[in-house]
Amino acid sequence: MDVRDNSATSSETLESWVRLYTNSMYTWALYKTSNKESAEDLVQDTFLTAYQQLEKFRGDSNPKTWLLAILNNKIAEHYRKKYRNSVQTDDMEGTTSGRNIFITMFDEDDRWKKKEKPFEWNADENQLLDDKEFNIVLSSCLGKLPEHWQSAVHLKFIEQKNGERICQELNITPTNFWQILHRAKLQLRKCLEINWFKL
């Protein structure tokens, strides 16, 4: 069916898509953002964009595939905005939070401080990620990272994008990107050791 026939048909088509695909799109957006409000907003924005661009849908692909492509673009833009906004408000982070991590964990010779040195977790990574309670702690630890660190970590480890692509999307240098990841991993490890492994 050509959804461009008339506005009534277009509205009916979009309404049926909302009924059919909202739940799965929301689940996907929630998985990608770990935030209910963001996921709801992204799905709503996706349907709004789909309505505005309905004439571009030619029926060559499944409507769900087309809607998910729009949603994925919205998710990527969500992280770009989140990164840019947090960098502006944090005064380009690498300064405060990053420096504090190194001061608390390393001595003046860049060696681990004795009580900060990581210990062996002795845990199966696959079992941990299947543990609902661990995932709650991990999500909480991720939420404590500066927002633009969260964006970089999300794009690298959840979206599984390569460093070059992430640098382009966030408009940062490779050096800055790797510094952010290194600092984020240090902070996450510390948070998990305190809130999970030492319990």
Side-chain angles (χ1 to χ4, degrees):
M1 174 179 87
D2 189 339
V3 297
R4 297 166 297 161
D5 289 344
N6 59 56
S7 59
T9 303
S10 296
S11 295
E12 289 168 14
T13 299
L14 195 62
E15 283 175 27
S16 71
W17 290 355
V18 169
R19 283 193 305 276
L20 288 170
Y21 306 124
T22 295
N23 287 341
S24 58
M25 290 172 65
Y26 171 76
T27 300
W28 180 248
L30 183 60
Y31 169 72
K32 291 291 192 176
T33 63
S34 301
N35 182 287
K36 290 180 180 178
E37 284 111 20
S38 294
E40 289 169 358
D41 290 345
L42 288 164
V43 171
Q44 187 175 20
D45 288 348
T46 296
F47 282 118
L48 180 60
T49 299
Y51 180 75
Q52 292 167 343
Q53 298 181 358
L54 205 51
E55 72 281 353
K56 293 181 181 177
F57 180 72
R58 309 216 181 279
D60 298 335
S61 63
N62 183 308
K64 185 176 179 182
T65 303
W66 184 66
L67 291 167
L68 280 173
I70 295 171
L71 177 58
N72 283 329
N73 286 333
K74 298 285 181 190
I75 292 168
E77 182 57 28
H78 164 77
Y79 279 102
R80 282 192 291 272
K81 281 181 184 173
K82 191 173 180 179
Y83 182 86
R84 285 192 299 266
N85 291 342
S86 65
V87 166
Q88 289 166 2
T89 56
D90 274 357
D91 189 29
M92 195 55 189
E93 163 296 335
T95 45
T96 318
S97 303
R99 214 176 295 131
N100 288 342
I101 288 172
F102 286 112
I103 290 169
T104 58
M105 293 185 177
F106 300 99
D107 63 23
E108 57 278 355
D109 296 321
D110 294 330
R111 293 192 187 116
W112 284 101
K113 290 183 179 178
K114 190 171 183 180
K115 63 181 182 178
E116 296 295 336
K117 192 171 183 178
F119 61 86
E120 198 64 42
W121 286 353
N122 295 324
D124 182 350
E125 181 182 308
N126 292 328
Q127 286 182 349
L128 273 180
L129 294 175
D130 289 334
D131 187 314
K132 186 176 182 180
E133 290 179 15
F134 173 79
N135 279 298
I136 291 169
V137 172
L138 176 60
S139 180
S140 172
C141 288
L142 284 166
K144 292 175 184 173
L145 295 174
E147 283 195 5
H148 55 291
W149 289 15
Q150 291 177 39
S151 297
V153 167
H154 181 89
L155 292 169
K156 176 67 177 170
F157 298 108
I158 306 296
E159 299 276 334
Q160 297 186 337
K161 294 186 176 180
N162 66 40
E164 184 180 349
R165 177 99 183 264
I166 295 168
C167 289
Q168 289 172 351
E169 286 194 17
L170 300 180
N171 195 26
I172 58 175
T173 65
T175 301
N176 194 359
F177 170 63
W178 293 113
Q179 284 177 344
I180 288 169
L181 275 192
H182 180 62
R183 292 168 178 174
K185 287 192 281 187
L186 285 173
Q187 188 166 316
L188 281 173
R189 182 178 186 102
K190 180 71 175 174
C191 182
L192 288 170
E193 284 180 350
I194 291 169
N195 295 289
W196 181 262
F197 291 101
K198 287 187 177 177
L199 292 179

